Amino acid sequence: MKLWVLGSGSNGNAVLVETERSRILVDAGFSPRVLKHRLAVAGVAPQSIEAVVVTHEHTDHAKGVASAARKWGWTIVSTAGTRMMCPDWVQLRTILTPRKSTVVVGDFYLETVPVSHDANEPIAVIVTSLAEGSRAGIVYDLGHVTETIYRALDKLDVLVIEANHDEGMLRAGPYPPSVQARIRSKFGHLSNNAAASTAMQCVHSGLNNIVLAHLSEKNNTPRVAMSTVGDSLRRGRFKGRLTAAAQDKVVGPITVGASSAASAAPLQLALGL
Ligand SMILES: [Zn+2]
Ligand SMILES: [Zn+2]
């Protein structure tokens, strides 16, 4: 299995996952023009994607879903709550999933898990390749990590986790107190420290890659996020690669599972691959 973060942050999110047989996107928060361009960087034709799993209705995750699905024949997978917020999906092929459920699309076994965020029925997604057994967890836009989420993130090969803000930078930054409070709340976004403790809980011998996602451009930097999470992981037993996703740049391919030989080297830090 291979994974690319086509872009991540408050201006758009999309993650491409492929096996030899199938391709899906998790979120399509860019216009079709931008999606097509980013997919071309990954060497992928948009028509070859089977489905887009939409985590929630916020523009930075759903902006391109309707037009791309119409243009390239993608199936949409989402909760009923998310679809309710997206009236422009009318007449598009949609698979509705309960928030805590499983659904098979092509070669992918998808597990959906509820997350706590200020949207209507938002979810995190764990993608398992039926052919290869490799597992990727994609977890962003959430205020805190529940036991249910931790349980779902068992035995991952790659974890894409939100590292939205540095707590000090948020406090000293340009956002008014009400917006800061929303970001910090249980329905907001994960800090670098929260990302670090979540990542630490996921460490096991098979976890080869951790990708930090949805970094704030105002209240974080890739360097600060990598250093906070990297310091924790260095104290733990993580032996893989830590990468920061970017808003305007494709990061990948990240090779997931059996074909990515487990590294014997200590923690590797990579600001973009
Ligand atoms: Zn978002
Ligand atoms: Zn959101």
Side-chain angles (χ1 to χ4, degrees):
M1 184 155 87
K2 286 182 185 163
L3 180 148
W4 289 258
V5 180
L6 301 181
S8 184
S10 58
N11 290 323
N13 293 272
V15 179
L16 167 67
V17 189
E18 75 164 29
T19 64
E20 287 190 358
R21 287 177 31 210
S22 301
R23 289 189 177 117
I24 56 165
L25 279 191
V26 175
D27 289 330
F30 299 99
S31 68
R33 188 182 58 80
V34 172
L35 284 170
K36 188 177 176 185
H37 175 73
R38 305 270 171 106
L39 286 166
V41 173
V44 167
Q47 299 85 340
S48 68
I49 290 170
E50 284 183 42
V52 55
V53 186
V54 185
T55 59
H56 63 295
E57 71 275 15
H58 289 163
T59 312
D60 57 320
H61 300 262
K63 178 181 178 181
V65 170
S67 37
R70 200 166 285 120
K71 201 173 164 79
W72 295 311
W74 301 349
T75 298
I76 301 169
V77 181
S78 83
T79 62
T82 297
R83 190 178 71 167
M84 190 190 298
M85 306 302 285
C86 299
D88 55 346
W89 296 1
V90 170
Q91 296 189 337
L92 291 168
R93 191 168 55 247
T94 306
I95 299 173
L96 293 181
T97 173
R99 292 182 81 190
K100 175 97 181 68
S101 191
T102 61
V103 51
V104 173
V105 176
D107 183 36
F108 296 109
Y109 179 79
L110 308 173
E111 297 165 71
T112 58
V113 191
V115 295
S116 144
H117 187 56
D118 53 0
N120 204 22
E121 298 193 344
I123 51 172
V125 186
I126 294 93
V127 182
T128 304
S129 160
L130 288 168
E132 300 168 12
S134 42
R135 276 163 70 72
I138 296 156
V139 189
Y140 45 45
D141 290 61
L142 71 173
H144 69 124
V145 181
T146 60
E147 266 312 306
T148 312
I149 297 171
Y150 278 126
R151 272 198 298 276
L153 298 179
D154 187 40
K155 295 279 183 287
L156 295 178
D157 297 279
V158 58
L159 170 68
V160 178
I161 181 78
E162 168 163 59
N164 177 257
H165 58 277
D166 172 81
E167 284 153 21
M169 286 177 74
L170 177 63
R171 220 170 11 249
Y175 289 176
S178 60
V179 178
Q180 290 191 24
R182 183 238 145 198
I183 291 170
R184 230 179 260 125
S185 80
K186 286 204 154 188
F187 299 95
H189 292 275
L190 291 186
S191 68
N192 294 339
N193 282 325
S197 66
T198 309
M200 286 292 281
Q201 293 254 7
C202 291
V203 171
H204 70 106
S205 59
L207 183 70
N208 290 320
N209 275 286
I210 296 172
V211 183
L212 305 180
H214 219 294
L215 272 64
S216 166
E217 290 179 330
K218 298 259 177 3
N219 305 308
N220 210 354
T221 68
R223 228 163 261 287
V224 167
M226 294 279 282
S227 138
T228 304
V229 180
D231 284 351
S232 284
L233 289 171
R234 214 171 275 119
R235 286 195 296 274
R237 289 160 297 139
F238 181 61
K239 296 274 174 35
R241 191 180 181 98
L242 175 67
T243 310
Q247 179 68 82
D248 297 318
K249 204 180 108 198
V250 176
V251 167
I254 291 161
T255 306
V256 181
S259 47
S260 69
S263 165
L267 170 67
Q268 305 162 53
L269 300 179
L271 287 170
L273 288 176

